[in-house]
Structure formats: C-alpha cells, structure tokens
Amino acid sequence: MLKDSTGGKRELRMNQYSPREMMATTAGRMINNGDVVFAGTGISMLAATVAKRIHAPDAVVFFETGGIDPSLEELPLAVADPRVMAGTSMNAGLIEAFSILGHRRLRTVAFLGAAQIDRFGNLNSTVLGDYKKPRTRFPGSGGACDAASLAWGIIIFMQHEKRRFVEKLDYLTSPGWLSGGDSRAKAGFVRGGPIAVVTNLGIMRFDHVSRAMYLSEVYPGVLPQEVVANTGFEIDISGVREADPPTDRELLTLREDVDPQRLILG
Amino acid sequence: MPHDITKKLMSPEEAVRRFISDGSQIALGGFTVSRNNMVLAREIIRQKKRNLHVVCHSHGQALDLLIGAGCVRRLEIAYGGMGRFAPTCIRFRKAVCAGQIDIEDYSNYQMSLRFLAGAMGLPFMATKSGLGTDLVKIEGFPIDVRGTGKVPSMKLAIIENPFNGAEDRVVLLPALTPDVALIHAQYVGEDGTVRLKGLTFADLEQARSAEHVIVTCEEVVPRSFIRDDPDQNSLPAFLVDAVVKAPFGAHPTACYQFYDYDPRHLKLYRNMAANDDLFQEYLENWVFNLPDQEAYLEKVGITDLMRIKASPAVGYAQGLDRR
C-alpha cells in the first residue's frame, strides 16, 4: 500500500495512504487525552490536530513561542505563525512556554525532527561536517534542545535513511538517552528522553535498560529488512510487529478537516 | 505631561544613525516569520553599518538580510529559519559555511534566559537545558575574541548544584546586555507606552536587557487609548529611546492583527537569495534603490498588501494562499 517513496504524494482513495499520512496518524495515536503537547510544525501539527479531533479532545497543544491551546482553524507553517496566536487560551512568551515545558506536574510530550539521529535518540539539527567549517548548516537548535532536555517525553519524526540514522552524529544538538543506560540521569536530567521514533517505514522504541533503539513496528507492506538496510547502526528487529494502518476516520479527518490545502500532506 | 514621545519620535534614518554604530551589539526582536524589524534592517543596510554583533533566539528575515548585506560579523543565535519558506535561512547558511561570520549556537530557552539575566542585572542565569550536548561542549567563537567587548569569557559553564550537592549539574549562561534592541510593536501610545499584541516571544526581556531600545510601530495611538486598558501594555515609556512610526514595518514577515506574512514576497526572496548575483539585485531593488518605507510599500503594491491584510476576527489573513 505504501507506494509513495517521495514522502507525500497525493493519494485520495481511502484504502491507500501516503507515508506522511501514516506517520501523522501513528504519532497522533501516541498522544493521550490530557497530554500537554509541545508541537512544532510540519507532521507534528497534523499528528496533534488529528489526535485532538479524534481520541484526545482534552489534549492541549502549545508552542515554544508562547501560544497556548490555539484554535488551529488554519494550519500554522511556523511556530511564530500568527495562526498560533489565534483563539488561544493565552498568549505568552518564550520563558513562560519553556517553564510549562519542563513543569514537573505536567506530562509534556514534545515532537521533534532532525537531520541526524543516533541509536540512543540523540539528535543533530545544527551542521553536517565539522562545526567550525561545516559542509552544510541547518537552522540550529531553536527550542529542540530545550524540549529534549525538559519535556516529560519526546517523539521524533525522521525520514528513514542511512545518512540520517548514523553511528555518530556530526553534532549533538538535542539530548536523547545520551550514551545509553543511566547516562541521561547522570548528566543531570531529572526526567524525559525519547519515547519513540516515527519514520516513513515504521516505529522504533528504546530498550528500558540499555536505552538502545529497536524496531517496534513496521507499516503494512514494509519488510523489517528494509529498516535494517536504511539504518546506519545495528538495530534489533526481533520483536517487530505490523502497525495498524490509518482508519478511514483518521484519513478523512486528516484530509478534509486538518489539512484541506495539503500544505503539509503535500 | 510627564511622558511625551515628541522628542523620541524620529525617522528610521535618524534612529539607526543615533543608536547603531559599526560593531554595535544588537538584539533582534520577533521570531522567524513574525514581527521582524524589517524597516530598521533595511535602514541599517542603507547606512552600511558593519561588524555588527547580533544576538537573538530564533530569527529569520531581518537576520538573513543583514547577513547577506555584509553587516554582521558575529552572531549568537538558536535558530536561523523562515519556516516553510526557507527551512534554513539562505544567506545565513551560506555565510556560516563560508566562514564569513563567527557563530555561537545556543538554544531558544538559553538565549531567552541570557536576556532575562541581563534585564535583571545578574551576571548569569541557570538552566538544565543542554546538559550532555555539543551546545555546552563546543565553542564557536575564536579564542581571541573571548572576553573582548561584549563577548563573555566563556560560552557557558557547568556547575554542581551548590544546595543539594553531587551529581546535580546545571548550566550557567552568561547575561546579555546588548547595545540596542530592535522591537517592532503594533502600538505605541502618545505617552510612549508600548503595546505588543499576540505573542511577545522574548521581546520584553530583550528590551529590558538593552542599553537602548528602538521601537518601530504600526500605529501611534492616543494616550487615552493606551491608558484605557493598561493590562494590555508591554513596556513603559522610560525604557524606550526612539519611536519610529512604520506601518507594515515587519513586511514580509507577519504582524499579528495587522497583516500576515507575505508568501509571494518570501518566495521571491528565497529564489533570489539562493544566487549571489540575484541577491545583490534584490538588495538593489528592495533596499538601496528605495529611500524609505513609503517607497518600499509603493513597490510592494496595494494589491499584495491587501492580500495579506489581517482579519480583525482572527488576526491573520484568512484563506491566504500559502502554497
């Protein structure tokens, strides 16, 4: 069913769906009713919105820029989009937003993407090559390092490619499980860490002891070997199962309600 | 009257000439696609200011234009991007890869806390954010600029919590006290009080941390309007050194309740910024050949300005074609 390798070609029939639609609905199901969701833009916006409209109406979406619980009648294309300021419960600023993100009483779940990820879910969104003389430059941390440091948990979106799933990051922008085991706590963090990595092939999670990434689910039609072939480090696939495809209701909500202009779905 | 902005009201030309010099450390208000102070950025470029030291959290269009025009020598930043229009700011990326500017990376929270420390008169602020990452391990600025001018002696420091002892680490971030903060506001009252609408980002911390503050605004409004609802106000008059009336002063970025970002202009910019010659042409066409903001708006044209006009009901342009 996953015929589209470009990551977002238009598919209108309900029994067909794009990897992006699969990623959005998969991540959306990870949001619990009552979660406080720290959203970025892109697929995370779709995931949060589809969750709110279907199974988690009491989840609250907020943005690092300070917008809390916006109505999201139109999709924001950046976290400072004026659409993040409309119909909110309140408009604040960065310091307020990051205080909420790290608040000990709240189960804050943050969505992040990156250019590179390693086996412990550490992320690079800064440079490729040497930091002082980079081959290419990305935007930088923004609030990603803060979310990875302070949130109750993070969910990561990635395109599943060998050059992105790497043995060693060119730059560690956002902390995952650091070097695995209890290294995150030893570094000084009091909570948090990656929960899952949602890619165009499936879902990875992290072992509770070693904190190493393993393959948890593949999408229908994807072979576990494809995941291995597209991962630049050793990954345990022994416990893999097939993920549930998006439901008709999820697809309909996504296509007709959440992103009718296909700004993010493509 | 105790506060009156008559003496502070000035043109962008005068504000930049009086408060920004070569080598100044400037804080840019706004955030990626919103409330960039474009009218001052264009004026800084016209006046050919050089070696600026820019400090900001997540920034976009004004930063990219200033870097592309060769005004920036040094940059402390968390994020250089314009959302969907330029996931990484184009001239920023080129300049960093070519080694044309010195850059030091922090996170958004870290940069916000550094402004807060400056605003509070503290030497540093503490956070848990960034432990174990390359943000705290790798310094970007050359050693010889450390401890000179407004550059702190170290990027940051990590200490053990002095209260509860071992294995509880925190990151200490050096305060920022920029020479000047550039803020674009929706309203300034005739008494000089500033009112920001929508999200304030870290504008208030930036303004309070700075030696001087230039506020450009969409509208100068009567004292009675600003005093009628003081809960809405953001900065007192005595923190503001210059007020510049500049309608559409954030174009092509958004100004909540006044106008949206301009997708057409941002796409034009993206295409021109990708090529060195075309970027020079952009600077000629949109900065150097236009004496002031009125000429700029005339060049953008009424049709495009009306297209992005915000609906008072929602604060942005409903149904705007953003593809």
Side-chain angles (χ1 to χ4, degrees):
Chain A
M1 232 174 281
L2 282 158
K3 298 293 185 224
D4 170 25
S5 59
T6 59
K9 207 178 148 216
R10 191 161 185 161
E11 293 286 354
L12 284 176
R13 280 188 299 167
M14 293 312 258
N15 62 346
Q16 294 200 324
Y17 47 88
S18 71
R20 235 179 252 206
E21 289 172 335
M22 182 77 203
M23 287 169 80
T25 52
T26 299
R29 290 173 194 165
M30 294 178 186
I31 296 170
N32 296 331
N33 204 16
D35 279 356
V36 178
V37 180
F38 178 94
T41 47
I43 296 179
S44 78
M45 258 332 307
L46 300 180
T49 318
V50 86
K52 264 186 83 70
R53 307 255 159 109
I54 293 181
H55 68 272
D58 299 329
V60 175
V61 178
F62 81 109
F63 293 84
E64 63 185 279
T65 43
I68 299 170
D69 203 15
S71 59
L72 299 176
E73 277 166 36
E74 287 191 19
L75 278 176
L77 295 182
V79 296
D81 193 308
R83 286 152 192 80
V84 158
M85 312 176 194
T88 53
S89 65
M90 64 177 288
N91 283 333
L94 269 66
I95 289 191
E96 292 89 342
F98 287 117
S99 308
I100 291 167
L101 177 76
H103 200 287
R104 62 196 178 282
R105 280 181 53 195
L106 301 174
R107 201 185 112 120
T108 49
V109 177
F111 285 106
L112 300 177
Q116 289 181 325
I117 184 169
D118 70 14
R119 75 175 70 230
F120 297 115
N122 303 302
L123 303 173
N124 171 16
S125 54
T126 304
V127 291
L128 289 185
D130 179 54
Y131 178 69
K132 294 278 177 70
K133 233 182 165 344
R135 199 160 70 245
T136 192
R137 169 77 206 195
F138 300 115
S141 162
C145 171
D146 307 310
S149 297
L150 306 173
W152 178 84
I154 59 170
I155 295 169
I156 301 156
F157 288 110
M158 295 290 298
Q159 281 296 306
H160 213 132
E161 299 167 15
K162 215 165 191 164
R163 62 185 181 119
R164 295 177 181 274
F165 282 66
V166 295
E167 189 67 53
K168 189 174 178 352
L169 302 176
D170 289 12
Y171 185 97
L172 200 169
T173 314
S174 304
W177 296 110
L178 293 177
S179 54
D182 61 355
S183 59
R184 185 180 166 94
K186 279 210 165 125
F189 292 117
V190 294
R191 68 173 192 175
I195 298 165
V197 186
V198 177
T199 79
N200 49 315
L201 299 179
I203 304 164
M204 319 320 115
R205 294 180 191 273
F206 297 86
D207 182 84
H208 283 292
V209 180
S210 73
R211 301 301 189 185
M213 191 189 296
Y214 66 89
L215 178 60
S216 172
E217 295 171 47
V218 283
Y219 301 149
V222 175
L223 296 171
Q225 280 311 320
E226 286 178 56
V227 172
V228 173
N230 287 290
T231 303
F233 48 82
E234 208 177 301
I235 186 164
D236 181 3
I237 60 168
S238 59
V240 67
R241 70 170 194 86
E242 190 172 276
D244 298 326
T247 63
D248 287 358
R249 187 172 169 211
E250 283 170 331
L251 286 176
L252 207 64
T253 304
L254 205 50
R255 291 169 183 174
E256 294 186 3
D257 188 12
V258 179
D259 188 12
Q261 277 195 56
R262 299 191 79 85
L263 293 168
I264 298 168
L265 286 175
Chain B
M1 285 195 195
H3 288 108
D4 184 319
I5 56 166
T6 321
K7 288 197 186 100
K8 294 179 185 174
L9 258 183
M10 58 187 83
S11 65
E13 188 277 325
E14 186 184 353
V16 169
R17 184 164 41 76
R18 278 180 54 181
F19 293 103
I20 299 177
S21 314
D22 287 354
S24 287
Q25 189 184 60
I26 61 173
L28 298 179
F31 193 111
T32 62
V33 301
S34 267
R35 282 198 300 98
N36 285 210
N37 202 315
M38 297 309 299
V39 67
L40 291 183
R42 285 188 289 267
E43 185 55 33
I44 289 168
I45 293 167
R46 268 185 220 111
Q47 293 189 26
K48 297 193 161 58
K49 300 293 181 188
R50 289 294 178 262
N51 296 317
L52 297 177
H53 179 168
V54 172
V55 289
C56 55
H57 37 82
S58 287
H59 219 272
Q61 199 65 12
L63 173 74
D64 207 48
L65 207 56
L66 287 170
I67 289 177
C71 302
V72 179
R73 176 65 214 279
R74 207 161 282 157
L75 178 61
E76 298 181 58
I77 191 174
Y79 189 90
M82 278 297 287
R84 210 159 156 274
F85 302 100
T88 304
C89 282
I90 297 162
R91 303 310 302 187
F92 158 78
R93 187 185 65 221
K94 283 177 185 282
V96 174
C97 287
Q100 289 164 347
I101 54 174
D102 296 332
I103 181 168
E104 200 69 274
D105 274 276
Y106 292 88
S107 71
N108 274 344
Y109 194 25
Q110 289 174 342
M111 286 304 289
S112 304
L113 290 171
R114 296 182 66 198
F115 289 116
L116 180 64
M120 294 173 75
L122 292 172
F124 54 79
M125 193 63 76
T127 182
K128 285 275 186 186
S129 185
L131 290 162
T133 69
D134 286 337
L135 285 177
V136 305
K137 287 179 189 157
I138 297 180
E139 291 218 2
F141 281 175
I143 288 197
D144 60 326
V145 311
R146 283 275 161 213
T148 66
K150 294 224 166 191
V151 181
S153 61
M154 288 187 285
K155 180 179 181 182
L156 41 72
I158 295 174
I159 61 156
E160 300 280 331
N161 173 354
F163 300 101
N164 289 326
E167 303 254 322
D168 186 22
R169 294 192 182 85
V170 291
V171 181
L172 301 187
L173 301 157
L176 283 165
T177 53
D179 294 313
V180 56
L182 313 184
I183 307 295
H184 185 72
Q186 280 86 350
Y187 303 104
V188 175
E190 280 175 345
D191 64 349
T193 305
V194 178
R195 177 177 294 183
L196 295 175
K197 297 296 291 177
L199 300 177
T200 50
F201 310 123
D203 286 21
L204 308 182
E205 289 79 11
Q206 289 178 318
R208 292 185 195 116
S209 71
E211 315 278 351
H212 296 287
V213 179
I214 307 176
V215 178
T216 59
C217 63
E218 293 297 322
E219 287 187 15
V220 173
V221 291
R223 161 192 288 262
S224 59
F225 177 85
I226 222 86
R227 298 270 165 153
D228 200 39
D229 193 2
D231 297 1
Q232 295 281 317
N233 297 339
S234 311
L235 287 170
F238 49 75
L239 285 182
V240 179
D241 299 276
V243 176
V244 177
K245 193 177 168 190
F248 286 96
H251 181 275
T253 68
C255 186
Y256 180 63
Q257 290 190 352
F258 279 77
Y259 45 93
D260 222 315
Y261 43 82
D262 187 338
R264 287 159 64 103
H265 192 97
L266 291 174
K267 275 188 249 177
L268 169 92
Y269 179 82
R270 178 178 61 198
N271 294 335
M272 297 189 81
N275 173 290
D276 291 352
D277 292 336
L278 288 177
F279 181 72
Q280 287 311 315
E281 204 179 305
Y282 180 92
L283 286 179
E284 292 298 327
N285 292 349
W286 293 94
V287 183
F288 290 115
N289 293 348
L290 304 171
D292 54 28
Q293 177 72 355
E294 280 177 24
Y296 175 85
L297 293 181
E298 234 163 80
K299 182 164 172 63
V300 176
I302 188 71
T303 312
D304 278 10
L305 293 177
M306 287 309 289
R307 187 179 289 117
I308 59 169
K309 183 178 176 293
S311 148
V314 290
Y316 54 85
Q318 269 181 307
L320 175 67
D321 188 348
R322 296 180 288 151
R323 283 168 295 184

